[in-house]
Amino acid sequence: MAASLQSLNLNPLSLKPFHKSSTLTFSKSNSIRCSAATPSKRSYTITLLPGDGIGPEVISVAKDVLLLSGSIEGIKYEFHEKLLGGAALDATGVPLPDETLSVAKESDAVLLGAIGGYKWDKNEKHLKPETGLLQLREGLKVFANLRPATVFPQLVDASTLKREVAEGVDLMVIRELTGGIYFGKPRGFGTNENGEETGYNTEIYAAHEIDRIARFAFEVARKRGGKLCSVDKANVLEASMFWRKRVLALAQEYPDIELSHMYVDNAAMQLIRNPKQFDTVVTNNIFGDILSDEASMITGSIGMLPSASLGDSGPGLFEPIHGSAPDIAGQDKANPFATVLSAAMLLRYGLGEEKAADRIEKAVLDTLNRGFRTADIYSPGTKLVGCKQLGEEILKSVESHIPAGAL
Ligand code: IPM
Ligand code: MG
């Protein structure tokens, strides 16, 4: 495989094995359903949630890419497009309609664009688009969020970091997605003993929540570079002290993994100072939210980063990590690469369709090699195109620029 990639002059999306072999086998009963090495069927139901802002534009590109790569690889799709976020609020009055959740639960995988926008920013919490997304993650029980940050050789100069710092970065942030301060209780608004208004949240993790995400991370690290860095704030927060205690206890089962611990403030600094020191990072919900945005900028643009959210069973949720970018929505300026790469993750980790995933990832690299760029990753000497045209170029790469024998 490596030889054929070299002959194509395409770099694999990640040189580390977790991208190449997606089977995660757990030593305990806690098995992650994500990846049958051999797909069990070749016909899948996919829930599409375009959402708001640039969501519909990038989802439309990713859908075409799925369809074309599927037709080449002998995979059939039935797409169900449903409402989420602001679009759902406008149409139904709630950010996650029951129908959306039930259709999503019934499907083989869920592909999401983005949610949110100025229009709904001042809504009460239960009527915010973001609440719909959190309810969806909770409803699908997708506790493990994989956010790879890979610097593509073609985009090194798009990074705000120096070439020698950014070049070769290939790290995976594993974010706990259904617990911690995002969901902890008590939460709300109140009044303190001085009669002053307050707002409060609770950072709380139960043992099983830490154990399952840590186990997931150890397994991923084992398939990548064998290094796991657990990020916490155990010098201050009880929830982090407990997190570290559980991760340390689990480490006994993974003597082959080089485990380190880092406080989140230091991790934020180290990510910019020397990102290549990281291989696999595991952290809680809120630290993962922040660090994954930071890691994305090492790669040049948040518009390049896909994500996969997986649970013990049921469909995975696949989404770009960028938001709805209301400032450029409807202007054909969005970068569809992150959503297309999320579709590749859907195939690889959600459906076990490795070949089709490979084909899409290689098409992305080929499109970059041919010089096509949206504004966020443009540099002089490359070809500036809009979202639609970039989509067409990706389709050309899916179809004709990749010899079948190379896959
Ligand atoms: C993300 C986003 C979401 C989060 C928002 C939109 C609720 O920032 O997926 O990183 O905070 O998880
Ligand atoms: Mg975020």
Side-chain angles (χ1 to χ4, degrees), residues 60-220:
S60 149
V61 171
K63 180 183 177 185
D64 288 346
V65 169
L66 274 174
L67 277 171
L68 182 62
S69 58
S71 75
I72 296 168
E73 300 295 342
I75 304 167
K76 288 207 181 94
Y77 299 107
E78 195 181 303
F79 291 105
H80 295 288
E81 201 169 307
K82 294 290 157 198
L83 295 167
L84 178 72
L89 277 164
D90 286 352
T92 70
V94 291
L96 176 67
D98 290 345
E99 195 207 344
T100 298
L101 182 59
S102 62
V103 168
K105 277 182 175 169
E106 290 298 307
S107 58
D108 294 305
V110 182
L111 185 64
L112 163 66
I115 50 97
Y118 310 130
K119 183 176 174 188
W120 309 281
D121 273 354
K122 295 207 170 75
N123 284 14
E124 271 183 72
K125 183 165 171 273
H126 71 286
L127 296 178
K128 281 188 183 296
E130 289 78 4
T131 302
L133 176 58
L134 298 182
Q135 289 168 344
L136 180 68
R137 291 171 178 169
E138 190 181 27
L140 293 176
K141 299 188 171 69
V142 284
F143 65 85
N145 183 215
L146 292 156
R147 297 190 164 191
T150 311
V151 173
F152 294 84
Q154 301 89 336
L155 296 182
V156 179
D157 293 323
S159 174
T160 46
L161 297 186
K162 286 185 192 142
R163 169 174 275 271
E164 62 268 27
V165 179
E167 202 163 30
V169 166
D170 175 12
L171 62 92
M172 178 74 86
V173 177
I174 299 177
R175 169 186 178 192
E176 199 291 325
L177 201 62
T178 53
I181 198 164
Y182 271 60
F183 293 91
K185 289 187 183 123
R187 63 187 301 157
F189 303 100
T191 317
N192 68 13
E193 58 278 14
N194 304 323
E196 197 180 0
E197 274 188 303
T198 59
Y200 55 94
N201 293 85
T202 302
E203 166 74 353
I204 181 164
Y205 273 106
H208 80 275
E209 292 176 297
I210 302 170
D211 291 358
R212 67 185 178 184
I213 191 72
R215 193 177 291 287
F216 186 100
F218 275 114
E219 297 289 342
V220 171

